[in-house]
Amino acid sequence: MQPSVLVLVLLLLSSAAYYAGRKRAFTVAQGRLRNLQSLPAYYGLYTAIWCGLPALLLLAAWVSLEHTIITNAVVAGLPEEIRQLGPDRLNLIVNDIKNIVQGNIVSRAPDAVMDAAAGRYRSLLAISHAAMFVVALALAIGAAAFTLTRIKPKQRARNAVETIILALLIACSTIAILTTVGIVLSVLFESIRFFQAVPVTDFLFGLDWSPQIALRADQAGSSGAFGAVPIFAGTFMITLIAMAVAVPIGLMSAIYLSEYATRQVRAVAKPLLEILAGIPTVVYGFFAALIVAPFLRDTGGMFGLGIASESALAAGLVMGIMIIPFVSSLSDDVMNAVPQAMRDGAYGMGATQSGNHPPGDLPGGTARHRRCDPARGVAGDRRDHDRRDGGRPRRQPHREPIRGGHHRDGADRHAADRRPGVRQSQDPRGVRAGVGAVRGDAGPERDRPLHRAQVPGAV
């Protein structure tokens, strides 16, 4: 029986154990739930966990060790002359035996010894699967029966279930951490071995990359050249080509979707871009090798240009197409994050919809658009072009900012200027301005400046 079928059987047994444990809790409580220390569902979960968890752990350990034990038993039954071969040749023969068992292609025509070894492997594998099925079922049923006998009204089933789940979570987190540590250590050890053979200066500043080196003593190969400068230069070149393709297309598509597209068009175009981002990178590589590179080679030959199929142009173009969805989505999110007040301020300064972006649609914008932000105030004159008056500018009462981001119109300003302690002044053009500050007052009003404000009719 295959391990997948056994897992399905264990899940069904665990489901049955859950209902049995829940029913057992009702029985020992004599129908009174207040006599139980935990809810009946926790007793069912407690029974189901002890029914399925030990059997699943046994199954995982059995599957991980099964092929190693069977392989050692098959190798021990091989003739002496084969077992005396080197590790590489012996591993090749063992792989051929496994391929015969699985029905795959072998490296050479199988002989009588390999056929006999393959038959022995099949028989041992069948015996192992049968034994695994029997042992796992016996363990699951026995653990469930033992757990049912231990269900008591005063048993803290909820605490036990939470402890087991917490242990499982810690085990999963530990596996993830150990996997990351293992990857880092493996890369570190291999790097140390590499730099023991290749100096660091040759790797960082070498101008030649030809990693043709003999891996075994019986192989013929050159000493190899491992200069990383060509690798870095190629990476930067491909990156520049990709950005030259992705940034304009992605930014323009984001502007269209954010400013001009209707809801119907956006509802269709946005998911299509997200689907493009979900295509695996290996598909892009396959597309570049079979479609884009030959197309560029043939197109360059038509114009007398020698473009190789392995050039960085094909890789850069395909990578640029690959990152268009990321650039478009990021730009669209940035544009949608701009406050509407900043856009309205840009429109109030005379900007059109096409002239308001990208500076007006990006956080911060340019200096002209920052002056339009009502949260910071309007610097200089602002004129409202009244379309109904033929486009002639019409002066509006200027609203100057005060500390805190609020604005004060003319009436409020004059009321503030009449407060005691505020010095009044008159400029040569007759425009009143509050140039003093409230002195002697407590609280936030003390240091608030009153800026110069224009009134209707002032030039």
Side-chain angles (χ1 to χ4, degrees):
M1 179 176 290
Q2 295 297 325
S4 58
V5 178
L6 182 56
V7 170
L8 180 59
V9 173
L10 291 177
L11 292 178
L12 293 177
L13 284 177
S14 299
S15 301
Y18 170 80
Y19 289 103
R22 192 168 176 270
K23 184 177 180 180
R24 176 65 178 173
F26 280 109
T27 302
V28 297
Q30 298 179 354
R32 299 178 180 178
L33 295 181
R34 60 185 180 183
N35 294 335
L36 296 175
Q37 187 69 31
S38 304
L39 293 176
Y42 285 105
Y43 292 95
L45 288 174
Y46 182 71
T47 308
I49 289 174
W50 279 108
C51 176
L53 184 60
L56 290 175
L57 293 178
L58 174 65
L59 175 62
W62 196 299
V63 170
S64 62
L65 299 176
E66 179 183 43
H67 292 282
T68 303
I69 297 174
I70 294 177
T71 300
N72 293 333
V74 171
V75 170
L78 293 175
E80 183 67 24
E81 60 272 12
I82 296 179
R83 286 188 282 115
Q84 295 299 326
L85 296 175
D88 298 332
R89 297 288 302 278
L90 184 60
N91 289 333
L92 182 60
I93 293 175
V94 171
N95 289 332
D96 288 338
I97 294 173
K98 292 181 179 179
N99 289 331
I100 293 174
V101 173
Q102 298 172 359
N104 298 330
I105 300 176
V106 296
S107 62
R108 60 177 183 175
D111 52 12
V113 175
M114 295 179 62
D115 289 337
R120 179 175 173 78
Y121 195 100
R122 289 193 190 96
S123 62
L124 291 177
L125 188 62
I127 294 173
S128 174
H129 285 175
M132 178 178 62
F133 182 77
V134 173
V135 173
L137 284 182
L139 179 60
I141 295 174
F146 178 75
T147 306
L148 288 174
T149 59
R150 293 183 58 87
I151 293 180
K152 299 293 188 296
K154 298 302 181 181
Q155 183 186 12
R156 298 181 180 272
R158 181 178 64 85
N159 296 342
V161 170
E162 291 178 353
T163 302
I164 295 174
I165 293 177
L166 179 61
L168 291 177
L169 294 177
I170 293 175
C172 294
S173 302
T174 304
I175 291 174
I177 294 173
L178 292 179
T179 302
T180 305
V181 172
I183 293 173
V184 172
L185 291 179
S186 63
V187 173
L188 179 61
F189 290 151
E190 293 299 327
S191 301
I192 293 174
R193 291 180 56 191
F194 174 79
F195 286 116
Q196 287 176 350
V198 179
V200 179
T201 54
D202 293 347
F203 175 75
L204 295 178
F205 305 105
L207 301 179
D208 297 326
W209 177 261
S210 179
Q212 299 177 0
I213 189 171
L215 300 178
R216 299 195 305 267
D218 57 345
Q219 284 183 329
S222 61
S223 60
F226 299 93
V229 172
I231 303 299
F232 296 151
T235 302
F236 291 143
M237 182 185 300
I238 294 174
T239 302
L240 290 176
I241 296 174
M243 296 303 293
V245 173
V247 170
I249 299 177
L251 186 58
M252 293 300 106
S253 62
I255 291 175
Y256 171 75
L257 292 177
S258 177
E259 296 295 328
Y260 298 100
T262 61
R263 289 186 177 180
Q264 292 78 9
V265 175
R266 182 180 174 86
V268 175
K270 189 71 173 177
L272 290 179
L273 286 175
E274 300 297 336
I275 291 175
L276 187 63
I279 299 177
T281 56
V282 65
V283 176
Y284 284 104
F286 187 78
F287 175 72
L290 295 184
I291 305 298
V292 179
F295 173 77
L296 293 177
R297 181 191 59 198
D298 298 339
T299 304
M302 294 173 56
F303 295 95
L305 301 176
I307 301 178
S309 301
E310 301 82 7
S311 64
L313 182 60
L317 290 176
V318 176
M319 185 176 291
I321 296 173
M322 182 179 65
I323 64 177
I324 283 175
F326 300 98
V327 176
S328 178
S329 298
L330 181 61
S331 302
D332 184 65
D333 295 338
V334 170
M335 291 178 185
N336 290 329
V338 176
Q340 185 63 31
M342 182 177 291
R343 302 188 185 194
D344 295 340
Y347 293 141
M349 290 291 292
T352 61
Q353 185 179 12
S354 60
N356 194 27
H357 53 263
D361 286 343
L362 298 178
T366 60
R368 179 173 66 88
H369 291 85
R370 284 196 298 268
R371 289 196 299 267
C372 301
D373 188 2
R376 296 189 179 98
V378 182
D381 294 335
R382 183 180 67 182
R383 299 185 178 184
D384 182 25
H385 295 271
D386 191 356
R387 302 298 180 185
R388 292 172 296 182
D389 288 343
R392 295 192 305 273
R394 184 183 64 184
R395 295 193 178 278
Q396 298 289 341
H398 195 67
R399 301 177 64 192
E400 288 294 335
I402 59 176
R403 186 168 299 176
H406 301 286
H407 295 78
R408 188 184 298 277
D409 56 17
D412 293 337
R413 180 181 56 80
H414 294 315
D417 292 345
R418 289 194 295 268
R419 291 179 301 177
V422 179
R423 295 179 295 176
Q424 306 291 335
S425 63
Q426 187 79 14
D427 62 4
R429 292 174 294 179
V431 179
R432 299 179 60 221
V435 297
V438 179
R439 303 183 181 277
D441 295 341
E445 297 288 333
R446 176 173 180 174
D447 298 326
R448 185 174 64 184
L450 297 176
H451 302 285
R452 174 181 177 179
Q454 296 178 350
V455 297
V459 179

